[in-house]
Amino acid sequence: SFVNSTKYSNIFAKVPDVNKCQQDVMGNLWYVANGNIGVMKKSSDSQYVSVYKQFNPLKDNFVANYEKVTAVDKNNFFVGINDGLVHFNLSSISKRNIKCNVFIKNVTFGNHAVINDKTDFIISKPLTYAENIIKFTFSAPNFASMSTTKFSYKLEGFDKKWSDWRKTAFKEYTNLREGNYKMMVRADNGYSTAFASSSCTFKILAPWYRSITAFLLYILLMGMGAYFLRILIKNKIRKNKYFETIEQRR
């Protein structure tokens, strides 16, 4: 019968759906999870350090159910993939943490386009209501991780939550109502331990018939209408009284 191991359950507590696990001669615990490999690297004090994101470029390239890591020495390892062998040095790959940057490079609306090279920026001139179809293009410039970079976005003032992670590097919104908005983008390059973020703040003006000036005009017209209606009613009452007086005299 199988017995649950508290020790290894605690080690892998933050690793979901482990399909396979093997221990090398140095005591490192190699595992397969979600189509990728990872390792709990054993330190000198018998603690384990998780190394996982650094292997993301290999994700879904393994021979299913035949994943195997072969140790040459304490640092050098080979792992088989669909089209050959991959060699890596554990001492260097575990320290690899490629910085992730992201930018909203291009914003297009109507016949206009804004090119940006800053992390956070503001479109100072308000957009007209006719320009309420707006497209954002993202960029996370890093050639070492272009194939693994994913984006998540949220338009504050419209979206209720962040989108799912996806490789699509643009997002278009249509028929946005008037108001203040902030487009926020996050990027994950598969290596960095933290997400990068970028934002664009902008405002869309109301259509002329929903503008403050229009509402003031509506109020003025309603007031004038009520005033003239009151005069008409008074004239009607005065005329009725006049005819009543004539009738009484007869």
Side-chain angles (χ1 to χ4, degrees):
S1 62
F2 295 95
V3 179
N4 182 49
S5 171
T6 303
K7 173 184 176 181
Y8 291 108
S9 294
N10 291 335
I11 292 174
F12 289 97
K14 296 183 179 180
V15 181
D17 303 325
V18 175
N19 301 321
K20 184 184 294 186
C21 183
Q22 72 178 78
Q23 187 176 44
D24 62 30
V25 293
M26 275 64 69
N28 302 313
L29 300 172
W30 296 86
Y31 61 89
V32 178
N34 297 328
N36 198 9
I37 65 169
V39 59
M40 292 293 181
K41 185 180 178 183
K42 191 173 184 179
S43 60
S44 57
D45 58 356
S46 296
Q47 299 298 311
Y48 291 90
V49 178
S50 178
V51 181
Y52 181 75
K53 276 196 169 187
Q54 291 85 339
F55 295 102
N56 274 348
L58 299 177
K59 187 174 182 179
D60 297 325
N61 282 307
F62 301 99
V63 181
N65 300 318
Y66 291 94
E67 303 91 346
K68 181 175 178 58
V69 177
T70 302
V72 177
D73 54 41
K74 68 176 183 179
N75 289 322
N76 294 286
F77 296 83
F78 284 95
V79 61
I81 59 174
N82 289 324
D83 54 358
L85 284 174
V86 173
H87 165 262
F88 51 86
N89 185 300
L90 186 58
S91 63
S92 62
I93 198 172
S94 60
K95 298 176 182 177
R96 194 177 190 189
N97 185 23
I98 299 176
K99 185 179 180 181
C100 183
N101 295 311
V102 64
F103 300 93
I104 300 176
K105 295 294 294 182
N106 190 289
V107 182
T108 56
F109 49 92
N111 296 320
H112 304 283
V114 175
I115 309 299
N116 171 63
D117 59 358
K118 298 178 181 178
T119 303
D120 302 297
F121 69 103
I122 299 173
I123 299 178
S124 56
K125 184 179 179 180
L127 282 61
T128 66
Y129 192 73
E131 298 170 328
N132 66 351
I133 299 176
I134 185 166
K135 180 179 179 180
F136 301 90
T137 304
F138 326 133
S139 175
N142 193 305
F143 294 105
S145 60
M146 287 179 64
S147 62
T148 60
T149 299
K150 293 182 179 181
F151 301 93
S152 176
Y153 51 81
K154 177 184 178 183
L155 181 59
E156 198 171 80
F158 182 82
D159 294 324
K160 294 182 178 179
K161 62 180 182 178
W162 287 88
S163 71
D164 295 331
W165 290 97
R166 60 195 65 185
K167 292 186 177 181
T168 306
F170 66 88
K171 173 60 180 176
E172 184 176 59
Y173 290 92
T174 60
N175 299 321
L176 292 174
R177 287 184 64 85
E178 63 272 16
N180 296 306
Y181 294 93
K182 184 177 183 180
M183 182 63 172
M184 299 177 291
V185 181
R186 299 183 301 187
D188 181 7
N189 63 5
Y191 290 105
S192 181
T193 56
F195 300 137
S197 62
S198 180
S199 68
C200 169
T201 303
F202 62 98
K203 179 180 181 179
I204 296 179
L205 298 175
W208 67 267
Y209 53 84
R210 283 206 300 265
S211 65
I212 294 177
T213 302
F215 282 116
L216 292 175
L217 181 60
Y218 299 152
I219 293 172
L220 178 62
L221 291 175
M222 289 173 63
M224 292 176 63
Y227 174 76
F228 286 113
L229 180 61
R230 184 180 178 185
I231 291 176
L232 288 174
I233 293 173
K234 282 185 175 181
N235 288 337
K236 180 70 173 177
I237 293 173
R238 188 180 297 112
K239 186 178 293 186
N240 289 340
K241 286 184 177 181
Y242 172 75
F243 286 117
E244 287 177 1
T245 303
I246 295 176
E247 289 294 328
Q248 289 174 0
R249 289 179 179 179
R250 286 180 182 179

